[in-house]
Amino acid sequence: MKVNVAVIGASGYSGLELVRLLSSHPKIKITALTSEKFARQPYEQVFPSLFPFSGIILEPLNPEKIAKKADFIFTALPHKEAMEVIPFFISAGKKVVDLSADFRFKDCSVYEQWYQKHTAASLLKRSVYGLTEINRAQIKKAALVANPGCYPTSVLIPLYPLIKEGLISSQHIIIDAKSGVSGAGRSLNISSLFCEASESFKAYNVTKHRHQPEIEEQLSIYAKQLVQVTFVPHLVPMNRGILSTIYVTLRRDSPVQFIINTVNQYYGKEQFIRIFPEGILPQTGWVRGSNYCDVGLTKAHGNRLIIISTIDNLVKGAAGQAVQNMNLMLGFKENIALEQKPLYP
């Protein structure tokens, strides 16, 4: 028996990537796709790249109708819109992976400071932060998983073992991160237009990016104390990919190989996290189209450690991790539909 699955918000980049990945999943059946902009159009007409498709017609979001068609729901909606429909799906006994920010925070006041008033705060205690390799045990038992943001995924994966093992100071963490234009979404935005983004490179939302408090809350949980970071995101004129350069201070002068060995104790058996040998630093092209997170480490003067982390923002940073979480929640093998190798060059 296949599990019936719906994708809410199937016409955005993350929604399209979800449909692409799910289309090759042998244990699920896509039974509903929603889009307000393209409602009542065949999905393959909106996205001919997936031709021939199953003949599914995009429909406007009606939670009652979707709940009758699907047992598992992906919500690829903007923040605020997700919290308006997810409580209904949970009350109807459905399992949900939410790709918005609405259920990522345990501290509701932090969410409301950076976003808006939360109208489903009672579900925050039930939601599990969906960083798969770190919260696997909780995800398996969850009904609601909050898929992490793309930047936080690239940052938290390499920092988690270093903080847990006490190898680095939790203070003065600097994150210099770059993202492709698809990270801004598919909606019309002047800053994302070709003539605005091409042939240019810029920092944006400096000190104001909403992924900063998400990173800080998770790091504070790992460190068991308040952690604040300097986070500066940049827009790079490429379609997809994130490269995060992270600067941290070692508590003691340790060889790079010792640090790599420590990180490998956490991730050495993980299929989708690749820790590179000393001397090799990852590039975005090496993960393009895949569910990998690549990590390289090197040292600067003194006890300064430099971490390079790369992901495809639409796969490991969004849809791929969402499918990985779904597989866990439904008791499937974690790597089903996610074994695509990177598209390089």
Side-chain angles (χ1 to χ4, degrees), residues 62-229:
N62 182 315
E64 290 83 1
K65 289 183 178 180
I66 297 300
K68 292 178 181 178
K69 295 182 178 181
D71 298 309
F72 196 101
I73 315 290
F74 290 98
T75 48
L77 295 169
H79 59 83
K80 187 178 181 181
E81 293 182 26
M83 73 173 78
E84 292 173 356
V85 297
I86 286 175
F88 174 83
F89 291 130
I90 296 298
S91 67
K94 311 301 179 181
K95 292 188 175 184
V96 178
V97 171
D98 176 36
L99 280 75
S100 83
D102 284 354
F103 296 95
R104 292 175 186 163
F105 291 86
K106 291 303 178 188
D107 188 337
C108 186
S109 65
V110 174
Y111 176 89
E112 293 184 340
Q113 176 186 346
W114 288 80
Y115 291 88
Q116 69 277 308
K117 182 173 177 57
H118 207 297
T119 58
S122 61
L123 285 179
L124 293 177
K125 292 181 180 179
R126 295 182 57 185
S127 68
V128 174
Y129 190 73
L131 201 54
T132 319
E133 287 81 7
I134 294 175
N135 295 328
R136 183 175 281 119
Q138 301 98 301
I139 292 167
K140 286 181 178 179
K141 300 180 289 186
L144 172 59
V145 167
N147 222 55
C150 50
Y151 281 126
T153 295
S154 72
V155 171
L156 296 173
I157 285 175
L159 288 183
Y160 174 72
L162 300 176
I163 287 181
K164 293 294 287 185
E165 293 299 318
L167 292 180
I168 63 172
S169 169
S170 59
Q171 306 302 311
H172 310 298
I173 296 173
I174 299 172
I175 303 159
D176 179 5
K178 293 91 173 173
S179 173
V181 182
S182 62
R186 196 163 181 252
S187 299
L188 181 61
N189 187 321
I190 291 177
S191 64
S192 301
L193 295 175
F194 179 82
C195 288
E196 300 290 332
S198 180
E199 305 291 342
S200 186
F201 174 46
K202 69 175 183 179
Y204 70 100
N205 287 348
V206 180
T207 74
K208 300 176 182 178
H209 199 287
R210 288 165 166 170
H211 283 176
Q212 178 169 328
E214 181 181 338
I215 292 169
E216 291 177 339
E217 183 178 78
Q218 292 301 312
L219 290 180
S220 298
I221 292 171
Y222 306 157
K224 298 182 180 179
Q225 61 178 326
L226 178 65
V227 177
Q228 295 179 315
V229 302

Side-chain angles (χ1 to χ4, degrees), residues 310-343:
T310 60
I311 62 171
D312 185 316
N313 58 294
L314 295 179
V315 188
K316 186 61 174 172
Q321 189 154 234
V323 172
Q324 195 177 353
N325 286 327
M326 178 201 72
N327 285 336
L328 280 174
M329 295 167 75
L330 295 178
F332 300 152
K333 286 183 62 177
E334 197 172 313
N335 61 358
I336 297 179
L338 295 172
E339 295 191 282
Q340 302 90 340
K341 295 301 180 183
L343 300 170

Side-chain angles (χ1 to χ4, degrees), residues 11-78:
S11 60
Y13 287 133
S14 294
L16 170 60
E17 200 73 0
L18 273 169
V19 175
R20 182 179 73 87
L21 295 172
L22 293 170
S23 295
S24 63
H25 199 299
K27 293 183 178 292
I28 70 98
K29 180 181 180 181
I30 300 174
T31 53
L33 300 172
T34 80
S35 170
E36 304 306 310
K37 183 176 181 179
F38 299 101
R40 300 174 184 84
Q41 296 185 45
Y43 196 70
E44 61 188 37
Q45 180 176 313
V46 178
F47 294 112
S49 62
L50 293 181
F51 177 87
F53 198 59
S54 61
I56 292 180
I57 306 296
L58 285 160
E59 57 187 287
L61 175 54
N62 182 315
E64 290 83 1
K65 289 183 178 180
I66 297 300
K68 292 178 181 178
K69 295 182 178 181
D71 298 309
F72 196 101
I73 315 290
F74 290 98
T75 48
L77 295 169

